[in-house]
Amino acid sequence: MRSRALVAIDPRPGVSLDRWVNLISSLCDFVAGFKVGLPFMFSYGVSGLRALRGSCDRFLIADFKLADIDHVMVLTVSHVIGYVDGVIAHAFIGFKGGLEGLKEYLDGLGVKLILIISMSHAGSVDVLDANIDRLLWVADRLRPWGLVAPATRPDVISYARERAPWAKILAPGVGVQGARPGDGIRAGADYEIIGRLVTEAPDPLEVVKWVNEEHVRALRGG
């Protein structure tokens, strides 16, 4: 069974790029893909992203949590577009002059758009979760490839799955933030995003193998 694990790469300052290239190479055959955010880009730049892409051909997501007008978002992702398969943006910025232009640009290059409708930290309930119906309305109008909904609140995933059966759901918050591997999958997510649980483990590969086993158990109803 194919993996449902996406590993988030968010390095602490001072860690060498070689450490991440070696890590990704060692996990490449055991995960669905990887996600890199601004900490990675500030540490290593586009050349670092190129090195990651060269070390593994799995699905690679640029998680810059884009939230701007379409012109600025397109300019931002144009720097990395040759190395990534997906891009994460916030749904709350809306359609006209925002996500519409970004999706048109990404569609033209065969890159997948993933929209955040909720986040894994507790503060997400203050604004994002309080407006989830409107965010799902934006998503339904735009029809991105995927949505981000948190494994820390499975009820949000279940609601998003009911409202957006066409979307792939990516569930962050597994590990350090409290969700267990499989919590998001049981609620209806297609993938779980796992960061420090894997990247700061003494043996990351063993953790990934355990996560994959938990995902199999969840998919079988366990």
Side-chain angles (χ1 to χ4, degrees):
M1 185 176 293
R2 64 185 177 87
S3 176
R4 303 299 183 99
L6 296 164
V7 176
I9 307 297
D10 292 306
R12 298 178 186 273
V15 179
S16 72
L17 175 61
D18 287 344
R19 194 262 188 199
W20 299 110
V21 171
N22 292 335
L23 176 66
I24 283 184
S25 297
S26 70
L27 301 180
C28 189
D29 292 335
F30 299 91
V31 300
F34 300 91
K35 179 178 77 71
V36 298
L38 292 176
F40 182 92
M41 296 305 299
F42 284 134
S43 294
Y44 314 115
V46 176
S47 61
L49 190 63
R50 186 185 307 118
L52 289 195
R53 171 55 85 189
S55 68
C56 180
D57 62 354
R58 293 293 188 210
F59 192 64
L60 183 58
I61 300 170
D63 181 13
F64 303 158
K65 293 182 173 63
L66 297 169
D68 213 315
I69 63 171
D70 51 9
H71 174 71
V72 173
M73 292 190 295
V74 167
L75 283 178
T76 300
V77 299
S78 68
H79 293 282
V80 302
I81 203 68
Y83 309 108
V84 300
D85 305 294
V87 169
I88 291 179
H90 272 290
F92 68 73
I93 61 174
F95 191 71
K96 289 291 183 183
L99 294 170
E100 181 183 39
L102 176 63
K103 186 171 188 293
E104 181 179 355
Y105 173 73
L106 296 176
D107 284 350
L109 294 167
V111 176
K112 295 174 171 60
L113 177 61
I114 303 159
L115 292 185
I116 297 169
I117 58 167
S118 179
M119 296 177 68
S120 52
H121 66 300
S124 181
V125 303
D126 297 337
V127 176
L128 294 179
D129 292 20
N131 292 281
I132 195 166
D133 285 319
R134 196 64 178 175
L135 299 178
L136 284 166
W137 175 85
V138 170
D140 188 63
R141 184 175 181 184
L142 199 67
R143 291 295 175 105
W145 175 81
L147 303 175
V148 174
T152 49
R153 293 192 300 287
D155 58 312
V156 177
I157 294 175
S158 298
Y159 188 65
R161 172 51 66 216
E162 179 184 350
R163 289 282 307 274
W166 42 267
K168 300 293 184 184
I169 296 179
L170 287 61
V174 175
V176 174
Q177 287 186 285
R180 286 183 51 82
D183 286 351
I185 300 296
R186 289 185 186 90
D190 298 279
Y191 301 96
E192 289 184 344
I193 299 171
I194 305 151
R196 288 167 285 175
L197 179 68
V198 171
T199 61
E200 297 185 1
D203 191 337
L205 180 55
E206 285 304 308
V207 174
V208 164
K209 289 179 178 178
W210 168 66
V211 167
N212 286 339
E213 290 171 358
E214 292 299 306
H215 287 172
V216 170
R217 187 173 292 110
L219 289 165
R220 290 175 176 169

